[in-house]
Amino acid sequence: MTSLFDNLARRFLGQQYAPVSTSEDPESQVRVPGSFAATPEGNQVANSNVSEGHNRLPGDAPIGEEPATAPRAALTSHNLNHVLFRFSTICQLLVYKPLMVVSVLICRVVAAFINVIYFRDEYAATANNPSDPIDNANKFIRELEYNLQPSEPMHTLPPFFQGSYTQALFMATNRAKFLFVYLAHPRSENSSGMFENIITAPEFTSIFNDPDYIIWGGDLTSSESYQLANSLNVTRFPFLGLMCLTRSTTMMPSGPVKSAPKISLVSKVQGRVKDRARAQAIISNKFKNRINKYEADLREIRHELMNKYMSQVLVKQQDISYQNSLARDKAKKLKREREGKLSAYLQSKVEHFLQLQNSQSPDSARVGIRFSNGNRVTLTLPSTTKVAEIYEFVEIHRRGYDTEPQTLSSQNGQNSQNSLMSLEIAPDDFKFSLVSSVPPRSSLKDFWESSVRDVNFIYPNGMLIVEDI
């Protein structure tokens, strides 16, 4: 055994190793210069290069003797530990760490291969419809209806919310409703127990006869359900949780103050449900008791939300009424301003039409106009006159501006000129229509932008009938 340790030590320590002598002769033991040796009297005496009876200078070698060489280190527990440590380090670098890296790579490849083989349908379903949570929820409801047992006709599905979880959460938050969330895993073997003993149980479905309770469901093939499971810290499937608005009370110097309501998970059950007895206990203890605990507070929150909503509706209606009133007042003001401008504009055109009546143009049109009261007036116009001026002439006659010449002051004349420059006459400014007296009874409004010569039923002469609108 000693030789085995010697060989191992020589291999790793090289020339620094020398075996320890086991001889009892103290003279045969090698002493290191400068070391201490024990005397028979029990005192330690320094070993030097001076022998008994002979004085030697330090560093001198004995005459006729070879210089003494330093002895090699003996095999001790410390040296052995050092050898074993170096050996284990080499093994870790050359064997253990490469094996660990290779094992991790192999495990990852095998896991990816298993996922592709066994969960290919789930990944394909999620990838084909990643952004349609409403369709995913409706598909989940259809699958639950397919799983109903025909042997138990009393067991029916609760009225699952046919929409996304975001929409269901909006209903629960803004209308202070209780929200049940049911999450299932398509590969879980425990889903049937909760589905048969709780979800379809009459004790559970009867809860939703009240419109203040809604239930939403989904499975992990949809991204929305997966994110919801992570946010709720779901560790086992299937999962059934109860959520509602809650608020805390803080004591202040003025008294207790309630915080703003926020949605919270107040009760949950996850994993396998073994039998009906345990399912009934869960419905009674975990859900109905929680409902009774938060019902009063939730009813108060619901009343506050209703008052807030009604006040917002009232403010909105008042704002709409105010805006409509402003719009009507503005329209009336604009109408009065336009009416004033139109009146001034027509008064300024009276002299223009008198000049047209007295002019003798070789290329002119004679248009007879018959009013609704039976009066007839003949208007002579140059062929290049716009059709709009016929409407202006009729309006002047209807208002009686042509019976008495208008005497305008210089300021009124200036205002009429400004109105003439800024006012644009449109057919809607006149409350009558002009139609031809012969078939087909064409309306002169269709030729508003045309000249008189372009209208064949008034050029070179024709008859128009004034019809009040």
Side-chain angles (χ1 to χ4, degrees):
M1 181 63 68
T2 305
S3 61
L4 177 61
F5 284 118
D6 292 343
N7 294 333
L8 186 61
R10 288 192 183 95
R11 180 178 298 273
F12 286 93
L13 297 180
Q15 299 300 326
Q16 296 180 359
Y17 169 77
V20 178
S21 176
T22 57
S23 175
E24 298 296 334
D25 187 7
E27 296 296 334
S28 63
Q29 295 181 358
V30 179
R31 297 179 182 176
V32 179
S35 63
F36 293 89
T39 60
E41 289 80 11
N43 299 323
Q44 291 181 348
V45 179
N47 184 25
S48 64
N49 291 331
V50 180
S51 59
E52 283 186 71
H54 299 85
N55 292 328
R56 296 180 182 178
L57 294 177
D60 289 344
I63 299 175
E65 297 180 3
E66 294 294 333
T69 59
R72 290 178 295 180
L75 179 60
T76 61
S77 59
H78 175 73
N79 295 336
L80 183 60
N81 290 335
H82 180 68
V83 171
L84 295 177
F85 174 76
R86 292 181 61 182
F87 181 74
S88 62
T89 303
I90 295 174
C91 292
Q92 288 180 2
L93 293 176
L94 298 180
V95 180
Y96 297 147
K97 290 187 177 181
L99 285 178
M100 291 176 63
V101 174
V102 172
S103 301
V104 170
L105 294 178
I106 293 175
C107 291
R108 289 186 177 181
V109 172
V110 172
F113 183 73
I114 293 174
N115 289 333
V116 170
I117 293 178
Y118 291 97
F119 301 99
R120 179 171 49 192
D121 297 337
E122 299 177 15
Y123 293 153
T126 305
N128 292 335
N129 197 7
S131 60
D132 193 0
I134 298 178
D135 185 62
N136 292 335
N138 293 333
K139 180 181 177 181
F140 178 72
I141 296 173
R142 290 193 299 268
E143 291 178 355
L144 293 182
E145 293 174 349
Y146 178 78
N147 293 330
L148 284 174
Q149 297 295 334
S151 59
E152 298 180 356
M154 295 298 295
H155 284 217
T156 58
L157 280 179
F160 277 92
F161 184 80
Q162 296 183 352
S164 64
Y165 170 73
T166 304
Q167 295 172 341
L169 185 63
F170 178 84
M171 293 283 291
T173 304
N174 291 273
R175 299 187 182 180
K177 296 178 179 290
F178 285 101
L179 174 61
F180 283 88
V181 176
Y182 175 58
L183 298 177
H185 196 292
R187 299 293 178 181
S188 177
E189 298 178 356
N190 301 324
S191 299
S192 60
M194 180 178 291
F195 178 75
E196 296 173 359
N197 297 327
I198 295 182
I199 300 299
T200 59
E203 297 84 357
F204 183 74
T205 56
S206 62
I207 297 176
F208 302 97
N209 294 332
D210 191 336
D212 292 330
Y213 297 84
I214 56 178
I215 182 172
W216 181 87
D219 58 18
L220 294 189
T221 57
S222 66
S223 59
E224 188 177 35
S225 300
Y226 181 77
Q227 294 174 2
L228 177 60
N230 288 336
S231 63
L232 297 179
N233 296 324
V234 180
T235 57
R236 289 177 296 171
F237 292 93
F239 172 86
L240 180 63
L242 174 62
M243 305 175 68
C244 68
L245 289 175
T246 60
R247 55 187 178 183
S248 58
T249 303
T250 305
M251 295 302 299
M252 301 295 292
S254 58
V257 177
K258 292 184 178 180
S259 63
K262 62 179 181 179
I263 198 73
S264 302
L265 180 67
V266 297
S267 182
K268 66 178 180 179
V269 58
Q270 54 186 354
R272 182 180 179 184
V273 179
K274 298 180 180 179
D275 50 16
R276 297 286 178 83
R278 185 170 182 271
Q280 292 180 357
I282 290 174
I283 295 174
S284 176
N285 298 330
K286 277 188 170 289
F287 296 126
K288 289 187 176 181
N289 288 346
R290 289 289 182 174
I291 290 173
N292 295 333
K293 178 180 178 180
Y294 292 99
E295 176 63 30
D297 194 18
L298 200 63
R299 191 183 300 110
E300 182 180 354
I301 295 175
R302 192 179 301 121
H303 183 69
E304 293 175 359
L305 291 176
M306 181 61 67
N307 292 337
K308 181 180 179 181
Y309 173 76
M310 294 303 297
S311 63
Q312 290 177 351
V313 170
L314 181 60
V315 170
K316 187 175 182 180
Q317 289 178 350
Q318 292 176 349
D319 184 63
I320 292 175
S321 300
Y322 177 71
Q323 295 296 333
N324 291 338
S325 177
L326 288 179
R328 288 193 297 269
D329 294 342
K330 184 178 181 180
K332 290 179 181 179
K333 182 180 179 180
L334 293 176
K335 184 177 180 181
R336 287 194 301 266
E337 292 178 355
R338 185 170 183 81
E339 182 64 27
K341 291 181 179 180
L342 181 62
S343 177
Y345 174 75
L346 293 176
Q347 291 178 15
S348 67
K349 297 282 289 188
V350 172
E351 185 178 356
H352 170 70
F353 285 110
L354 291 177
Q355 294 176 358
L356 290 180
Q357 292 291 85
N358 298 328
S359 65
Q360 298 294 331
S361 177
D363 186 14
S364 61
R366 293 177 57 84
V367 182
I369 301 173
R370 186 172 65 187
F371 291 88
S372 58
N373 57 4
N375 295 337
R376 300 183 63 177
V377 177
T378 302
L379 177 63
T380 302
L381 297 171
S383 61
T384 58
T385 305
K386 295 293 184 181
V387 172
E389 293 195 19
I390 302 177
Y391 278 84
E392 295 173 0
F393 174 79
V394 174
E395 185 66 21
I396 290 173
H397 186 79
R398 283 164 56 89
R399 297 190 180 194
Y401 293 162
D402 59 342
T403 58
E404 297 181 359
Q406 302 294 322
T407 303
L408 302 175
S409 62
S410 59
Q411 182 177 1
N412 292 337
Q414 185 67 27
N415 293 336
S416 299
Q417 292 298 327
N418 294 336
S419 300
L420 182 63
M421 294 297 295
S422 60
L423 187 65
E424 293 183 1
I425 303 299
D428 296 335
D429 292 327
F430 307 105
K431 305 302 179 184
F432 60 87
S433 62
L434 298 175
V435 296
S436 63
S437 60
V438 295
R441 294 173 58 85
S442 302
S443 176
L444 195 63
K445 183 179 180 180
D446 299 334
F447 303 91
W448 179 263
E449 298 291 341
S450 303
S451 301
V452 172
R453 67 172 62 180
D454 298 330
V455 185
N456 54 6
F457 57 85
I458 62 173
Y459 180 80
N461 53 62
M463 175 65 70
L464 294 175
I465 300 175
V466 179
E467 295 181 350
D468 296 333
I469 299 177

